[in-house]
Amino acid sequence: MNRVFFLGPQRFRPTLVATLDRIGVEGTVAAITAGWQEREQEVGELQDHIHRELINLRLYERAEEVFAEDAELRDAVHERQQWLREEQSLYRRRLAHTLNAAREVMTLDGRDRFVREHRQAAIRAVRTLDRQHLTRVRRIHAEFEERMKPSRRPAVAAQREQLQEVIGAASAVAIAGGHVAVLLNRLRLFGFAQLLADRVVVAWSAGAMALTGRVILFHDRPPQGAGDAEVLDAGLGLVDGIIALPHARRRLDLDDPVRVALMARRFSPDLPALLDVGSEFVYDGSWRPGESARKLSRRGGVVEFKHS
Amino acid sequence: MSSVLDRFLDQTPGGETIDAFLSGRTFPILEGDRVTFVFRGRADAVNLRHWIFGLPSSQPFERVDGTDLWRLTLDLPECSRVEYKIEHIEGENRQWLMDPLNDRVAHDPFGANSVCYGRGYKTPPWVLPDEEARPGAMEQFRVISKVYRDRREIGVYLPARYRKRRRYPLLVVHDGHDYLRFADLRRVLDNLIHRLEIPPMIVALTTSPDRLTEYGADPRQADFLADELIPAMNARYPLIDRPEARMLMGASFGAVAALSAAWLRQGVYGGLLLQSGSFAFSDIGKHGRGPALDPVARFVNAFREDPGHPCDKVFVSCGIYESLIYENRSLVPVLQGAQMELRYVEARDGHNWENWRDRLREALSWLSPGPLWMVYE
């Protein structure tokens, strides 16, 4: 069984080393920083922080090497990404209307049966749309896997063999944040759902998002648009039952009970976990609170997450 | 309803109580949508000098009987921001002063003005220092210009965590050094990039020794940018060398320069940011804005006749307290007709740098959206 730790952002108050110390990780830590893209190699601060040997798995660079070697796969990945973008764009158009309706009904006064039923129906409509989108996204991935069988292609298989060896020798895998789609695509390309099985994994920000069953993009106050949280993709699914919300205090309007309640109910029964600075959530078959573990409540506030 | 000042004056105050009233209070006095300017001192007359188009540019204060206190109350709509000075007249002496009771000051190339905020106006948070934002760096280099037959100093902003291996979009800013000094451009870029609201970008800051000529729809400026500055930038920096990753901006005459350069060299730029452009034009007869704008009016008239397709996206902003609001509003249907994606924004502000600063977030994040939705660090 996996032991997985989700942490808050690490830039200003890193807590990774405290987690590694506490859980008894003494050996090498394999690091994934592919979300940093062209800065992937700049792991100096991370290395200094953890006081342990660190091996950078270089997934961003490895993927570039694979694409340079296997043009057919590269083109197929580009085509898949194009399909995914188109699907996301169509979903987003419908989502805007469905979410607006849900927000409007949720702001209505009244606890009578009619208002309650309409509220539930409006949220159900959003959940249905999310589910349909995720089904289509999964289908795009499944068709790609079926057609290209990336794990059997020599360029991928060779990299994957090396990665398996390094990860097998490491005491833990640390996955940093960054660009969540870039990170997730690399993890998927190299089969990390299997490579991380039964490993100790510590992840933060986009790293945490990529390991869940659903990757949710969110920002309540963007400079453009309504700030409609959206399902991007199925994550690796290494852990389930959680929605990872990094930088929640900065990205969410936690003082708006309608937005908070809608977010919590929309993704229920998953735990809407606030991954702010200093927070920690622990998974060992089920989710347990670590330091400063808080979540969104269905009533529209922020509450401490307690193990049930 | 009587104002704070009226209630105070009902008590027939003397010198010491006036001192007490003035200390520890913010001036001008804002009460709802009304603002009261106050001046204290010996004078024959006191006037408010402001740049709100639509109101008389000089508004007389009224002396409070038996005191050296002067007052003027005006309506000020929500979210307004007004720059002003106080004209003090005594005998033959006539002086324009900063408001001695008001610490809020805005600077521009001509000096400084006092500033009055209407209800609801707040300096945007992304303008203020943010200790979490990584600072970009500034460089300077020189372009030897055959077009202008001289040397041009170009300021360059490089974003935080700049890497030569990466490719960046380019923003070219007319009056770039004034944008740095008076519109906090460097800090705004640092903050918007840190917030992921715009992508890390390289910014070229140009300055003209004769802007009324060169920025006044002078074809040499279009040539200088397209044939000299952009190639020089491409040679020095890792830029995405495509029109959609290249933007041009400016305010006032700088906006004229930006639009005319994009019009004369279509296909070079992907986005334009035009702030309070001096887009003088005439449907018949004279444009009425003086001879300096004759070349501008010739250009705008030609543009209105045949706008072509200068770029794909254009953001236009103007203050409703500037006389140029007429010209800018008139430009909107022309730009819409040119099959460009257009965003047009008005603000209750005047022809000044802080108005232009306050629009930068909306404008730049629309022209060049950052990776906000995708990056979680």
Side-chain angles (χ1 to χ4, degrees), chain A residues 9 11-12 36-39 41-42 177-181 204-207 209 216-219 221-224 227-230 232 246-247 250-251, chain B residues 131-135 161-163 165-168 192 194-198 315 343 361-367 369-377:
Chain A
R11 181 181 164 206
F12 288 105
W36 299 353
Q37 299 168 267
E38 74 285 344
R39 292 185 292 101
Q41 300 275 24
E42 299 172 19
H179 194 294
V180 66
W204 60 95
S205 298
M209 296 165 83
I216 310 301
L217 307 179
F218 64 101
H219 198 300
R221 288 174 296 242
Q224 307 290 333
D228 295 335
E230 62 189 52
L232 173 73
H247 293 285
R250 202 175 74 203
R251 300 181 76 108
Chain B
E131 62 182 22
E132 291 192 5
R134 296 178 174 94
R161 302 196 284 185
Y162 167 72
R163 300 289 182 272
R165 284 179 296 154
R166 183 175 178 162
R167 299 261 156 204
Y168 295 88
L192 296 182
H194 165 68
R195 289 163 168 243
L196 307 166
E197 294 181 358
I198 59 173
F315 188 104
R343 177 77 66 92
R361 179 192 191 221
E362 186 176 1
L364 293 176
S365 67
W366 182 75
L367 287 167
L372 181 73
W373 281 96
M374 286 297 188
V375 173
Y376 301 77
E377 287 192 323

Side-chain angles (χ1 to χ4, degrees), chain B residues 31-275:
Chain B
E31 292 170 287
D33 286 344
R34 290 177 74 74
V35 63
T36 300
F37 297 86
V38 176
F39 179 78
R40 191 180 189 199
R42 216 172 60 188
D44 296 324
V46 178
N47 296 313
L48 182 75
R49 305 298 300 225
H50 61 81
W51 292 269
I52 302 177
F53 181 70
L55 296 178
S57 60
S58 174
Q59 302 252 346
F61 280 59
E62 180 188 346
R63 188 205 296 267
V64 177
D65 286 343
T67 72
D68 57 356
L69 212 54
W70 297 75
R71 63 175 293 180
L72 168 66
T73 300
L74 296 175
D75 289 334
L76 192 65
E78 190 177 1
C79 292
S80 294
R81 193 186 150 285
V82 173
E83 299 193 7
Y84 68 97
K85 279 202 170 78
I86 288 177
E87 184 181 29
H88 174 256
I89 303 168
E90 190 177 16
E92 296 297 308
N93 288 333
R94 187 179 284 261
Q95 271 185 300
W96 287 29
L97 310 170
M98 305 285 287
D99 184 345
L101 296 174
N102 182 0
D103 293 334
R104 285 185 183 137
V105 172
H107 296 272
D108 64 24
F110 309 104
N113 292 311
S114 295
V115 187
C116 170
Y117 296 166
R119 178 169 60 89
Y121 175 84
K122 274 190 184 159
T123 303
W126 44 268
V127 166
L128 305 173
D130 179 348
E131 62 182 22
E132 291 192 5
R134 296 178 174 94
M138 294 299 304
E139 290 186 358
Q140 196 88 1
F141 80 104
R142 192 172 285 172
V143 173
I144 311 291
S145 173
K146 288 183 182 164
V147 172
Y148 283 125
R149 297 181 185 177
D150 63 8
R151 297 167 175 181
R152 296 290 160 115
E153 293 293 332
I154 306 299
V156 178
Y157 170 88
L158 300 175
R161 302 196 284 185
Y162 167 72
R163 300 289 182 272
K164 286 190 172 166
R165 284 179 296 154
R166 183 175 178 162
R167 299 261 156 204
Y168 295 88
L170 171 67
L171 171 66
V172 179
V173 186
H174 287 97
D175 294 315
H177 295 89
D178 284 344
Y179 264 103
L180 286 182
R181 261 180 303 213
F182 307 121
D184 296 317
L185 180 64
R186 183 173 177 180
R187 191 190 300 144
V188 169
L189 290 168
D190 287 346
N191 287 349
L192 296 182
I193 291 168
H194 165 68
R195 289 163 168 243
L196 307 166
E197 294 181 358
I198 59 173
M201 59 175 69
I202 293 176
V203 181
L205 307 156
T206 73
T207 298
S208 166
D210 181 12
R211 66 188 292 282
L212 288 184
T213 304
E214 294 178 358
Y215 287 2
D218 188 332
R220 289 179 303 167
Q221 181 65 5
D223 295 343
F224 168 67
L225 294 175
D227 299 336
E228 296 181 336
L229 177 65
I230 290 171
M233 290 295 295
N234 273 323
R236 290 179 73 92
Y237 301 104
L239 296 169
I240 304 168
D241 191 15
R242 294 196 303 268
E244 62 268 27
R246 206 176 287 135
M247 294 175 292
L248 194 51
M249 68 177 268
S252 194
F253 259 61
V256 174
L259 180 60
S260 68
W263 183 64
L264 288 167
R265 304 298 289 261
Q266 295 183 23
V268 173
Y269 308 98
L272 286 179
L273 168 51
L274 311 176
Q275 301 198 283

